[in-house]
Every structure is written in C-alpha cells, then in structure tokens.
Amino acid sequence: MESLSLEKLENIIISYIYEISWNQTWDGRALPHDVFKSYLSHVEKLSNLFTVDRGQMGIRYFRKKENRIAYFLYFHLANMMRTRAIITEMKKRKVWPKQIDHVMDLGTGSGASIWAFGEEMSSIKDKPKSILALDEDRAILKDAEKLWTLYGQAREMDLPDLSCHKVDLLSLKGLEALHLKKKLDVIFCSNLVNEFSLISESGKISLFRYLVDSLLSDDGVLVIMEPASKEISRDLIQLRAMLLDCIDIHIPLPCSGTHACPLVADREDWCHLIRPGTFLPSSTVWKKNCIAIALL
C-alpha cells in the first residue's frame, strides 16, 4: 500500500483540531483566517522555546491546548518526515531490524514517529504486535492515541494497538515500573536531549544502559532524533562522547569513529548533513551493543 499524501495527512490533523476545538466535524474548508493567525502566534512561541528560549521551556508546555494544536499544525508532519528519512537511511545501510514485533516511542508527543513507522509498515512482512507510547503529559498522550486511530482509518489498515502510558521520561524508575516483559525491536526517542540536561551524567548513563541492555532485542535499534541546530547538535555529540566512554559500544554508521568526536573540542564546531529537498534532524541510531551517529 502506498504512503498517504501530505495533503491527506494534513487533513487528518485539521479534522482533529475541529473536533477538539469546537466539537465539530470538519467541512473541508480551510481554517478561519483569524483562528489560523492565532495558532501561528503559538507556533512562534513554541519555536522560540525549542530554540532561542530553550532555558525557559521546562517540560509542561503541552498542558495548554493551544500549544498542542500549534504543535500539530507546524511540527507533527515535519517530525514525521524527518523520522521517515532516518528510517530510509537506516534501511540503505542495513541497520534497520529484519523483524519488528514491538516498538516504543519515548517522549511520543503527538505521535509523529509512530506515524512515520506506520508509513513504513507496508514494507514489513509480518505486522508488529504492539506499539508503546510514553510521555509525561496525559493530554498529549490522549491526542496521540486519537491521531493514531484517525491515521489508521485514513490508511484503511489494521494497525497495531497503541498503548499509552504517562511516565517520567527522565527517570529510570519510571521505565522500570512498566515491567516490560518483551524485548523491543525499535525505540524512538525524539526531541529529548534538551530535557537530558536536567539529569546528571550518571543518570543519563543509567538510563541509556537500561534502554540498550534491558529493553532492546538482539537486533533492536534505539533512534535518538533532534533538530539540527548548532546548540542541540553539540549536545548530542557530547552525549555520544560520554556514552562511548562509559558503555561498551561501537559505531557502525555513518560516522565510523570509535572515539569522541573531535568537533567537541571547539565550541564553534558542529555537525549535520543537508539533503536537498529534505529537512533532517540530528540523530543518533543505537543498535544492540553499538551506537551509530548520524547528525542529519
């Protein structure tokens, strides 16, 4: 089955916005100009929080419905396309798992990464058994669950059940409390490096060691995706260096270095890849007992 067009994907989001904003069924017309202009102001605020005002962001911005709607309109499909681009690159380099039964999205937000995974399902021989979505905000989890249902209806596919749980994303105890019995073949982790600054280095190491050693299957991958800004890119490179120093891993792609990136030494240096016609984030791809860094 072919992927849905961006127009159809966008229509899913607009339809949902009508439902949660006015309890109405969308009639197919464009959003009213004044309403759209109001949402754009929230988009600008969110964009600033994610970039120049990161120090003021905190982790509760999804509690306001206006922020969530702005996120749906501006960030959801962009993040989905970035995730798809990274999955495509992983497939080309043969690090995408051969069999995928169980998927987790850590910090799912509106569920952009699982939409990207849904678009890849047509190439998966056996349908995955489960998808687990984790976030700290109940409202955005409810949104992600509903958007997944609407996405499945639009695709006319029998999608895996989505199980949503509210957890402290930066707490190892929160993950351990889930008592996951089955190994995960794919773990998505998007736009969380900023929040990682809130925990100690030992806490980061414990968290990632648990994800890789306790949750991933033997052929599993952990994909960390971040926007390719200078500051966030450097944060990701430094995270990579710290984990390389503390965990027994190697790097299969696309950077084949086995030591800390030399760009860490100079504060003005940073790393990303530009692909024509495609907006790609910085990303880190983990594989069982190895790590692959792709700053895209």
Side-chain angles (χ1 to χ4, degrees):
M1 182 181 293
E2 294 184 0
S3 300
L4 291 178
S5 67
L6 285 176
E7 181 181 1
K8 289 183 178 179
L9 292 170
E10 188 178 56
N11 287 346
I12 296 172
I13 294 172
I14 296 174
S15 177
Y16 183 57
I17 289 172
Y18 265 75
E19 179 183 332
I20 64 175
S21 296
W22 305 290
N23 196 27
Q24 294 179 2
T25 300
W26 182 43
D27 58 9
R29 292 184 293 180
L31 287 168
H33 178 73
D34 59 329
V35 173
F36 189 71
K37 186 175 180 180
S38 173
Y39 289 150
L40 282 180
S41 68
H42 287 283
V43 167
E44 183 178 7
K45 292 176 183 177
L46 273 182
S47 181
N48 288 338
L49 283 176
F50 294 153
T51 54
V52 296
D53 297 331
R54 288 175 64 207
Q56 304 174 28
M57 184 169 69
I59 55 177
R60 307 300 181 192
Y61 50 88
F62 278 145
R63 288 188 174 180
K64 290 184 178 181
K65 183 169 67 175
E66 294 81 5
N67 284 347
R68 301 200 309 275
I69 291 175
Y71 193 90
F72 304 153
L73 286 172
Y74 192 78
F75 295 101
H76 182 90
L77 290 182
N79 287 338
M80 172 194 152
M81 296 304 294
R82 289 165 179 154
T83 305
R84 286 205 70 191
I86 290 171
I87 292 173
T88 298
E89 190 69 22
M90 292 170 68
K91 286 182 173 180
K92 287 180 180 178
R93 297 175 181 267
K94 302 187 184 306
V95 294
W96 188 246
K98 295 179 180 178
Q99 176 64 36
I100 300 176
D101 291 322
H102 304 287
V103 176
M104 183 172 82
D105 192 8
L106 184 66
T108 190
S110 57
S113 290
I114 58 177
W115 271 35
F117 180 74
E119 290 292 279
E120 296 294 329
M121 280 184 52
S122 59
S123 62
I124 298 176
K125 182 178 180 181
D126 298 315
K127 188 186 78 170
K129 296 180 175 64
S130 70
I131 298 180
L132 178 65
L134 307 179
D135 207 282
E136 295 187 324
D137 188 275
R138 293 187 188 278
I140 199 66
L141 281 171
K142 183 178 178 181
D143 293 327
E145 188 171 24
K146 180 62 176 178
L147 285 169
W148 180 245
T149 299
L150 294 173
Y151 170 79
Q153 292 171 354
R155 285 299 307 267
E156 298 180 345
M157 288 178 61
D158 183 18
L159 296 175
D161 291 335
L162 178 66
S163 178
C164 297
H165 293 272
K166 180 182 181 298
V167 298
D168 181 352
L169 299 176
L170 304 181
S171 168
L172 179 56
K173 290 182 179 179
L175 290 174
E176 290 175 332
L178 294 173
H179 300 296
L180 299 178
K181 303 297 183 183
K182 297 177 180 177
K183 294 288 186 177
L184 300 166
D185 303 297
V186 179
I187 300 176
F188 293 113
C189 182
S190 305
N191 305 316
L192 283 178
V193 166
N194 182 57
E195 278 82 356
F196 292 156
S197 64
L198 301 176
I199 59 178
S200 65
E201 289 194 0
S202 61
K204 295 175 190 175
I205 294 168
S206 297
L207 178 64
F208 283 106
R209 180 174 283 138
Y210 178 74
L211 290 173
V212 174
D213 293 341
S214 299
L215 297 187
L216 278 183
S217 64
D218 289 341
D219 192 39
V221 292
L222 168 60
V223 186
I224 304 172
M225 295 166 284
E226 295 293 330
S229 70
K230 177 179 178 180
E231 185 177 358
I232 295 177
S233 176
R234 285 192 56 79
D235 287 347
L236 193 57
I237 294 173
Q238 289 167 350
L239 177 66
R240 169 190 181 273
M242 181 188 68
L243 296 174
L244 276 173
D245 188 50
C246 300
I247 301 176
D248 185 18
I249 51 180
H250 66 280
I251 304 172
L253 68 96
C255 171
S256 59
T258 58
H259 302 288
C261 176
L263 297 182
V264 173
D266 190 331
R267 292 182 179 181
E268 295 304 312
D269 283 339
W270 63 296
C271 179
H272 71 112
L273 172 68
I274 297 175
R275 300 178 101 187
T278 307
F279 296 97
L280 293 176
S282 301
S283 71
T284 301
V285 180
W286 288 71
K287 207 163 168 57
K288 189 68 174 180
N289 297 322
C290 68
I291 181 174
I293 302 298
L295 296 173
L296 305 171

